[in-house]
Amino acid sequence: MAKKVNLNIEIIAYSNLEELSNEDQKLLSLAEKATFSSYAPYSNFNVGAALILENGEIISGNNQENAAYPSGMCAERTAMYFAGATYPNKTIKTIAIAARKGEENTFIPISPCGACRQAMLEYEAKQEKPIRVIMKGVNDIYELASVSDLLPFKFTQKDLFE
């Protein structure tokens, strides 16, 4: 007999920036700033990400497009891969994400694409600690306690070996 299963994901919605900690405000500000140096001539969709490591180091990234579309890279992966290459044994505490269209200065709601969710989940599984996610919206700022909340039916290395 089929049964209904409910997934519960807790999302904290902040109505203004001042409700965030100073560290989270700084991360979100850096994610917003990173959108202004993204390379998005094809989509005109500028995405920025900023993450903080356990040692306090902050890394920003943005989307980098390419005429051969699959060769581009999203902001979240740009930042995470740089962190992994530069600080391979440091835990990522939080990642903040912001986006805007073209030359507009208004930030729009954004959540990571499927590929970024999977890549972020890999880092979360590798470090065996959750990575908080902060996403900038038009009127609200959303916080999730873990990347796992973005990908409830996750695929990790455990699935390969169990």
Side-chain angles (χ1 to χ4, degrees):
M1 173 125 213
K3 65 180 179 176
K4 189 182 274 189
V5 177
N6 290 316
L7 297 175
N8 295 311
I9 298 170
E10 184 175 299
I11 300 170
I12 300 171
Y14 300 97
S15 57
N16 63 64
L17 196 61
E18 291 74 33
E19 293 179 67
L20 297 173
S21 70
N22 289 339
E23 182 176 275
D24 290 345
Q25 286 181 38
K26 182 176 182 179
L27 275 183
L28 201 49
S29 175
L30 289 170
E32 290 174 349
K33 183 179 177 185
T35 68
F36 290 96
S37 57
S38 71
Y39 179 68
Y42 307 105
S43 71
N44 219 15
F45 191 72
N46 305 288
V47 182
L51 58 84
I52 187 164
L53 303 173
E54 66 183 352
N55 65 355
E57 188 73 32
I58 296 176
I59 295 167
S60 297
N62 48 38
N63 56 320
Q64 299 294 311
E65 294 181 350
N66 191 289
Y69 289 119
S71 300
M73 184 65 60
C74 298
E76 300 91 331
R77 285 182 284 157
T78 299
M80 292 191 99
Y81 291 163
F82 182 83
T86 310
Y87 304 96
N89 299 313
K90 298 297 181 200
T91 298
I92 299 168
K93 291 176 25 180
T94 305
I95 186 167
I97 306 158
R100 60 184 182 76
K101 292 181 182 177
E103 298 303 317
E104 295 177 16
N105 288 323
T106 303
F107 292 90
I108 57 177
I110 185 74
S111 68
C113 73
C116 284
R117 291 176 190 213
Q118 185 64 43
M120 291 164 64
L121 183 68
E122 183 73 18
Y123 276 82
E124 188 172 87
K126 175 185 167 196
Q127 68 186 32
E128 297 179 341
K129 289 182 184 175
I131 299 171
R132 288 176 53 243
V133 181
I134 299 171
M135 300 173 289
K136 172 78 170 168
V138 175
N139 297 315
D140 291 319
I141 299 162
Y142 302 103
E143 175 189 336
L144 291 95
S146 171
V147 172
S148 294
D149 292 336
L150 290 169
L151 204 56
F153 289 100
K154 52 192 154 287
F155 181 80
T156 66
Q157 61 182 298
K158 289 180 182 177
D159 296 306
L160 294 172
F161 301 113
E162 289 184 358

